Amino acid sequence: PGDKGPRFCECASLNFGYVNSPYVFCQQIKAGPLKTLRKMGVRVLAYVDDFLLCSRTVAQSVLDGQWFDAVFRMSGYTLRTADCQITQGPMCAVHKQQCKVKGVRTPSQVIDHLGLRVDAVRNLFLVPPERLAEVKKMARQMLGAASNNRRRVNARWLAQLAGTMISLLLAVPMGRYHT
């Protein structure tokens, strides 16, 4: 009430309601923790807030994961381990049930990342069966609607199918010719 001095605020997290927040976050990550990790020799693939660490051995993978956690924490970032904000081990404190855990901490040569299966043994990106079924269902729905409506389809459905196919380009390079 009687305090007339300057006031300062510090953001504890980025508000993703603002249009530029993901861009600002990516620039901060790229200039800070990712740059540090890459200088240390840690290979990190980053897409907004999804990270994939690539290591040659299991031991190196564990070490890289520890470095990743340490550098991000020292940079002031909090890493969530579950879809819920509040967790206690594997049980969610809010929902009193097991919530989906985010992130895989066990080194693996085959992993699902950003909707694709990354196979490090065969050096391939693959479409997981559930994603393939989703694309087939979308295409069937669109073909059915087109056959019933003089070859016209809803623009939103077309955009959704095209976007899904584009997201699979690493695994299906010929998909570009059909979008």
Side-chain angles (χ1 to χ4, degrees), residues 128-146:
E130 55 276 1
R131 280 293 301 273
L132 188 58
E134 175 188 331
V135 172
K136 284 181 180 180
K137 180 181 175 186
M138 291 169 70
R140 278 192 207 103
Q141 283 178 335
M142 192 173 325
L143 287 172

Side-chain angles (χ1 to χ4, degrees), residues 59-120:
Q60 185 64 47
S61 176
V62 171
L63 185 62
D64 289 350
Q66 291 169 348
W67 278 116
F68 179 87
D69 288 345
V71 168
F72 268 77
R73 284 200 173 85
M74 284 189 294
S75 298
Y77 292 98
T78 302
L79 302 174
R80 277 195 339 185
T81 57
D83 277 340
C84 293
Q85 297 274 349
I86 305 166
T87 58
Q88 286 180 319
M91 298 298 281
C92 173
V94 175
H95 300 110
K96 305 294 185 217
Q97 64 185 13
Q98 193 166 11
C99 289
K100 182 180 175 191
V101 174
K102 294 179 71 93
V104 177
R105 293 297 180 167
T106 307
S108 174
Q109 293 180 323
V110 179
I111 190 168
D112 287 349
H113 181 65
L114 297 174
L116 293 176
R117 185 155 294 149
V118 181
D119 187 337

Side-chain angles (χ1 to χ4, degrees), residues 8-30:
F8 298 95
C9 297
E10 181 179 335
C11 293
S13 64
L14 287 174
N15 180 348
F16 279 88
Y18 293 112
V19 174
N20 292 332
S21 292
Y23 173 79
V24 170
F25 174 76
C26 291
Q27 294 305 311
Q28 288 177 344
I29 293 293
K30 197 164 60 171

